[in-house]
Amino acid sequence: MKLKNLIEEISTTSEINSETANLTVTGIADSSDNVSQGCIFVAINGFNQDGHQFILKAIEKGACLIVGESKITGLTVPYVQVENSRKALGIIANKFYGNPSNQKLMIGITGTNGKTTTSYILKHILESNGKSCSLIGTIQNIINGQVKKSVNTTPSSLDLHRFISESKDEVVIVEVSSHGLSQYRVQGITFDFCMFTNLEHEHLDYHPTMEDYFQTKMLLFDHLKDNGQAIVNTDNHWGKRLVKILQGKGINVNSIGQSSNNKVRILYFNFKKSTVFVEDGDEVSHIFSPMYGIHNMYNTLLAYVSARLVGLSEDSIIECISNFQGVEGRFEKTKLPNGATIVVDYAHTAEAILHCLTTAKRYGAKRVIHIFGFRGDRDHSKRQEMLAVTSGTSDQYILTLDDLNSVPQSEMIETLDKLNTLYGNEKGLIIPDRTLAIKWAIEHSNPEDWIIITGKGHETYQQNYRLQTDSDKDTVLYFTNKKHSWSS
């Protein structure tokens, strides 16, 4: 493909001569390790490394053109200076892969919690009705039935365009994070449906305020196709506000919630039967979900509305939801030999933790034992709120280690002690080794107790513990010698 066709929509701060404009480009790379002969190398200033430092390496490996933000001269290949390399990468990738999102039915899902569960429920519904579906998200990327490892919730714009172009599936579902939006990872992607699950206190190590976090999430809806539609949960302050803004822009909004002005109105929840009753137009329907918890009922409803907009019948959707098998690491539960229940969940915000703990109580827990920790180098401002929720809701909580990242273990243990002293209560216990915390909870549990382990979900451990297990679920299996009967 000719270079001029790839960069015609990019705002450049340097002139491009006709010889450069007519270069034939064979590929695109944003890592010098992936450069081959005839590639464009886009230098991005990342959080840990600056791609501009690898320009000479890219040229040595055969890059025919460099795109970057810095003012650079004297290179042996043409250099194009742009205002924003990340944005330029998305535009170039979209052109190179032939506007792939225009050829698919695209569904984007954003929100603090529920993106993964909603995407998997929706994928199950669509595929059960004969529609092939790719999924790009937190746990893994599934393209043409093939599983690819997921590094970020939303991959780079280069990978995202490539995945969509490789997909032979009819539908592509994308989990879209606030990081992905602010870093232009969905640049050039357009969606038929964009979904908002909720917004809660999270990522304030990255966003300066909740308002900035909200404004970033809202950027997803700028990527709607001309006739695209929004699907929004309004039982959330930010969702209500989003609906008003989108309607003011003339966007067709399908809202769900308990107030009468929603397109799909929630009439009531039957927690014991895990069923929600909704009014959809003139019809009243009851939707059973095998996934416990009010948060999962909202996720189910968002998937339900999306599937209806795709054109599937109500009866078929409801039947598919009833046999959904759940999502790895999302309220994944099993019975212990002594009759207690243990749950592994990805919850890592105060609101998500509250949903997990209250769900256990609604389903008959005599006692709730909660195990959780805080990630190093992440949002410190939410820790007090998380601790307040568990100290006020659980019967016993155990503070333990989560991913340390760059924080020394001794420093994190000191942090746990300090937080517990300031904001905890007599229900609290500190067991730094995560595997031993789980062991303690199991050994001290009684019939009808629920042990809730939050924070890691499907993820594997980053550091070594006393027991050489790989994950929370693996640790539970170690102590119970169970290899089956997990459900969500």
Side-chain angles (χ1 to χ4, degrees):
M1 182 176 290
K2 296 297 183 184
L3 174 64
K4 61 184 178 183
N5 297 324
L6 294 175
I7 62 173
E8 59 186 355
E9 295 180 10
I10 296 175
S11 174
T12 64
T13 57
S14 56
E15 294 295 326
I16 301 171
N17 60 42
S18 59
E19 182 180 356
T20 300
N22 284 292
L23 282 172
T24 298
V25 176
T26 60
I28 310 164
D30 56 358
S31 168
S32 58
D33 292 336
N34 299 328
V35 172
S36 58
Q37 195 67 39
C39 274
I40 292 177
F41 174 64
V42 182
I44 293 173
N45 189 359
F47 294 100
N48 298 315
Q49 291 182 316
D50 184 353
H52 294 81
Q53 297 175 354
F54 299 91
I55 288 175
L56 294 181
K57 179 181 176 182
I59 294 172
E60 289 174 3
K61 296 188 69 174
C64 68
L65 178 96
I66 307 298
V67 176
E69 298 174 3
S70 302
K71 187 175 182 180
I72 299 174
T73 59
L75 299 179
T76 57
V77 299
Y79 177 78
V80 174
Q81 186 180 357
V82 296
E83 294 178 357
N84 189 305
S85 291
R86 294 180 185 275
K87 187 174 183 179
L89 178 63
I91 295 171
I92 293 169
N94 185 45
K95 290 286 187 179
F96 184 81
Y97 288 109
N99 302 302
S101 61
N102 288 343
Q103 300 161 36
K104 302 288 182 184
L105 194 155
M106 298 289 302
I107 301 173
I109 306 175
T110 199
T112 305
N113 296 310
K115 297 186 294 297
T116 298
T117 300
T118 303
S119 67
Y120 274 80
I121 297 171
L122 182 55
K123 184 176 187 291
H124 168 72
I125 295 169
L126 294 173
E127 292 185 333
S128 298
N129 282 273
K131 293 184 179 295
S132 61
C133 186
S134 292
L135 188 151
I136 299 169
T138 304
I139 296 178
Q140 57 194 7
N141 302 317
I142 308 172
I143 313 294
N144 303 323
Q146 300 297 310
V147 176
K148 303 172 183 286
K149 183 179 180 181
S150 177
V151 178
N152 296 309
T153 295
T154 310
S156 73
S157 58
L158 180 57
D159 287 339
L160 185 54
H161 281 91
R162 179 169 55 83
F163 289 157
I164 298 170
S165 69
E166 290 174 350
S167 172
K168 296 180 176 60
D169 296 319
E170 182 179 352
V171 183
V172 178
I173 301 171
V174 184
E175 292 182 49
V176 187
S177 66
S178 62
H179 292 65
L181 288 162
S182 67
Q183 295 170 19
Y184 297 96
R185 297 184 206 164
V186 292
Q187 182 68 40
I189 304 293
T190 55
F191 295 94
D192 296 271
F193 305 111
C194 287
M195 198 182 308
F196 177 86
T197 62
N198 49 62
L199 197 75
E200 297 163 12
H201 185 163
E202 173 70 317
H203 298 310
L204 296 191
D205 54 332
Y206 183 81
H207 299 283
T209 62
M210 283 295 292
E211 178 64 24
D212 180 80
Y213 185 24
F214 172 69
Q215 292 292 334
T216 303
K217 287 289 193 184
M218 197 165 58
L219 292 173
L220 174 63
F221 298 87
D222 292 340
H223 292 265
L224 278 167
K225 295 177 182 178
D226 289 341
N227 296 316
Q229 299 187 52
I231 305 158
V232 179
N233 169 19
T234 64
D235 285 348
N236 177 284
H237 159 71
W238 301 101
K240 288 186 178 72
R241 184 175 165 197
L242 177 61
V243 167
K244 291 180 180 179
I245 293 171
L246 295 179
Q247 288 176 337
K249 294 181 177 181
I251 293 172
N252 188 350
V253 181
N254 301 272
S255 59
I256 69 164
Q258 297 182 56
S259 65
S260 59
N261 59 348
N262 285 288
K263 285 195 175 181
V264 177
R265 183 186 179 190
I266 298 169
L267 299 177
Y268 65 94
F269 297 100
N270 185 325
F271 296 106
K272 292 295 183 182
K273 294 186 178 180
S274 195
T275 301
V276 58
F277 289 76
V278 298
E279 184 178 58
D280 184 0
D282 297 327
E283 298 290 328
V284 174
S285 303
H286 62 278
I287 302 170
F288 163 75
S289 170
M291 297 191 74
Y292 284 4
I294 190 171
H295 56 303
N296 283 321
M297 290 184 183
Y298 277 102
N299 297 334
T300 298
L301 279 177
L302 288 165
Y304 165 85
V305 172
S306 300
R308 290 285 282 151
L309 291 173
V310 170
L312 302 184
S313 71
E314 178 184 7
D315 290 343
S316 175
I317 296 169
I318 292 174
E319 181 181 353
C320 291
I321 291 170
S322 70
N323 58 42
F324 179 62
Q325 297 301 305
V327 183
E328 182 184 7
R330 269 59 177 179
F331 214 82
E332 200 171 5
K333 64 185 186 300
T334 190
K335 278 285 188 183
L336 299 179
N338 69 348
T341 298
I342 196 158
V343 173
V344 171
D345 193 88
Y346 189 57
H348 50 276
T349 67
E351 188 72 18
I353 288 170
L354 180 62
H355 285 317
C356 287
L357 302 182
T358 54
T359 295
K361 288 181 177 292
R362 285 188 176 118
Y363 283 90
K366 283 193 173 179
R367 287 195 312 153
V368 174
I369 304 170
H370 180 210
I371 303 170
F372 75 113
F374 308 109
R375 297 200 172 182
D377 301 323
R378 297 296 174 88
D379 186 357
H380 291 197
S381 64
K382 67 177 182 176
R383 293 175 177 177
Q384 178 183 344
E385 189 178 358
M386 291 167 67
L387 189 50
V389 165
T390 192
S391 62
T393 309
S394 65
D395 299 283
Q396 170 85 63
Y397 65 87
I398 304 172
L399 288 173
T400 190
L401 296 179
D402 201 314
D403 294 344
L404 292 172
N405 297 318
S406 68
V407 176
Q409 180 172 306
S410 58
E411 182 180 325
M412 181 55 76
I413 293 172
E414 186 178 323
T415 297
L416 296 179
D417 282 323
K418 183 177 181 180
L419 286 168
N420 196 47
T421 299
L422 292 174
Y423 309 115
N425 56 28
E426 71 282 353
K427 301 175 187 177
L429 184 66
I430 298 174
I431 304 177
D433 186 297
R434 196 173 181 93
T435 61
L436 297 185
I438 294 171
K439 178 177 185 288
W440 188 96
I442 291 173
E443 291 178 344
H444 288 79
S445 66
N446 300 313
E448 299 183 62
D449 285 352
W450 283 52
I451 301 168
I452 313 293
I453 311 169
T454 63
K456 293 291 292 176
H458 66 284
E459 295 178 340
T460 55
Y461 295 150
Q462 276 192 5
Q463 57 260 9
N464 294 323
Y465 296 114
R466 179 76 63 84
L467 300 174
Q468 296 302 301
T469 48
D470 296 328
S471 64
D472 288 342
K473 182 175 176 180
D474 192 33
T475 303
V476 173
L477 292 173
Y478 176 89
F479 288 115
T480 61
N481 196 30
K482 294 173 66 108
K483 301 296 181 184
H484 56 279
S485 77
W486 282 87
S487 62
S488 295

